Amino acid sequence: MSDILDILASAGLWAAVLRIATPLIFATLGALLCERAGVLNLGIEGIMTFGAMIGWFAVWNGADLWTGLFVAALSGMVFGALHAALTVTLGLSQHVSGLGVTLFASSFSYYLFRLLVPVEGTPPKIAPFQPLHIPALSDLPFFGQAVFTQTAPTWLAIALALALAFTLFRTPFGLAIRMTGENPHAAEAQGINPMVIRYGAVIAGSALMAMGGAFLTLSAFDSFIPTMVQGRGWICIALVVFASWRPGRALAGALLFAFFDAFQLRLQTVMGGALPYQLFLMVPFVLSILALAVMARRARVPQALMQPYRRGER
């Protein structure tokens, strides 16, 4: 028990929670924005993988880190436009289109990586984002080490969560997005073009997903490995339901999952000899499923989610 309390009292645990949560925050906000407009985007896993690869590749070829993040966002917008064309314009199944985007983007990432980076053995490395030193705050005992030792993209992710919450629930534009996800015909009656809103939400949401992937190669690690996303995209889909399609709760859900993950990593060092490490790896997913089962019962799904919109049809 004392070992567990020592883990909980260590600043390193809470710093790791913020670091692990950052790609989840980016990608969950992206998925939430798409679904608020009525479009399910299961391409998230592949878009994150491609964003991780292309962001790293841009920096490896001499671009600065922020340009790499921007290039990743642009790549996400391209995949988002593809998904929107298939689901919004053509009205195809959002499940099938999303899974197709994931398979295509993941395979294309690996193909381009092997084609453009013909290096055997250890992947090339870049100089990633470094933790920001905030005068006075970073020097605070415990709190400074736990919170104010993050890189700039982490603060950007938190700021985006607050900005999206404000936009969705405090602005006319956010009301238009939510109305499109609830009843696109009513939105059209108010002079809103649901097609434009859905296109914009899917493209912008996909850009956020790609930025989540790029965080892995530009900040959390320093090289690209094709399997490095490791199911984070699917976790983000679950976090959207956990959050009841609210950005603030999405931020809390990402932090909660990251806490489970960071805690089990440290628990392995304490109890690893007594139990197989695979059991510890299962802990964050099992606890997330339990939390999802509890929260999903009270979640209110956007009424027009996964329903294609065609002008004049009801």
Side-chain angles (χ1 to χ4, degrees):
M1 180 58 74
S2 63
D3 291 331
I4 293 176
L5 293 177
D6 289 341
I7 293 174
L8 293 174
S10 67
L13 170 71
W14 301 104
V17 167
L18 282 173
R19 185 172 60 253
I20 294 172
T22 301
L24 301 177
I25 296 171
F26 275 119
T28 303
L29 293 178
L32 186 149
L33 181 58
C34 295
E35 294 184 24
R36 270 293 182 181
V39 180
L40 178 68
N41 191 350
L42 294 181
I44 183 171
E45 183 82 3
I47 293 172
M48 289 183 73
T49 303
F50 195 87
M53 190 283 293
I54 202 68
W56 169 87
F57 182 74
V59 175
W60 186 60
N61 277 278
D64 61 69
L65 292 165
W66 286 108
T67 302
L69 196 63
F70 180 68
V71 169
L74 287 179
S75 72
M77 294 172 72
V78 172
F79 284 110
L82 172 63
H83 184 59
L86 294 172
T87 58
V88 178
T89 301
L90 301 179
L92 301 181
S93 167
Q94 296 179 10
H95 289 100
V96 175
S97 174
L99 292 175
V101 170
T102 277
L103 293 173
F104 172 65
S106 299
S107 302
F108 195 44
S109 303
Y110 185 60
Y111 172 74
L112 284 182
F113 179 70
R114 300 310 301 172
L115 182 69
L116 302 175
V117 190
V119 178
E120 299 293 337
T122 305
K125 296 184 178 182
I126 61 170
F129 282 101
Q130 297 300 309
L132 294 177
H133 181 81
I134 303 175
L137 295 177
S138 296
D139 298 325
L140 292 173
F142 184 80
F143 199 63
Q145 297 178 6
V147 178
F148 297 106
T149 56
Q150 304 300 321
T151 59
T154 296
W155 298 114
L156 175 62
I158 295 173
L160 285 173
L162 300 176
L164 183 60
F166 178 82
T167 302
L168 282 177
F169 295 101
R170 292 290 186 272
T171 67
F173 180 59
L175 178 60
I177 294 174
R178 288 188 289 128
M179 185 180 292
T180 301
E182 297 289 342
N183 190 333
H185 298 286
E188 184 185 19
Q190 295 297 317
I192 298 169
N193 188 332
M195 303 285 280
V196 172
I197 292 292
R198 286 190 168 183
Y199 257 91
V202 174
I203 291 173
S206 299
L208 291 173
M209 295 173 188
M211 291 171 68
F215 177 85
L216 296 173
T217 50
L218 302 183
S219 184
F221 305 102
D222 54 9
S223 59
F224 172 74
I225 299 173
T227 58
M228 69 189 310
V229 175
Q230 294 186 329
R232 287 180 175 85
W234 310 127
I235 291 295
C236 293
I237 294 294
L239 286 176
V240 173
V241 181
F242 173 85
S244 299
W245 289 267
R246 291 179 174 274
R249 293 181 184 178
L251 175 62
L255 291 171
L256 181 64
F257 180 84
F259 168 76
F260 293 149
D261 199 13
F263 186 70
Q264 65 87 14
L265 288 172
R266 284 154 179 78
L267 205 59
Q268 287 187 43
T269 62
V270 177
M271 303 176 63
L275 296 171
Y277 77 92
Q278 291 90 346
L279 290 177
F280 295 100
L281 295 177
M282 291 168 53
V283 168
F285 296 95
V286 172
L287 293 178
S288 298
I289 290 172
L290 292 175
L292 180 64
V294 173
M295 296 299 294
R297 296 171 64 87
R298 292 178 290 181
R300 184 181 178 280
V301 183
Q303 294 300 302
L305 180 62
M306 294 186 290
Q307 296 180 8
Y309 165 77
R310 294 182 179 86
R311 181 171 295 177
E313 292 186 3
R314 292 183 181 275

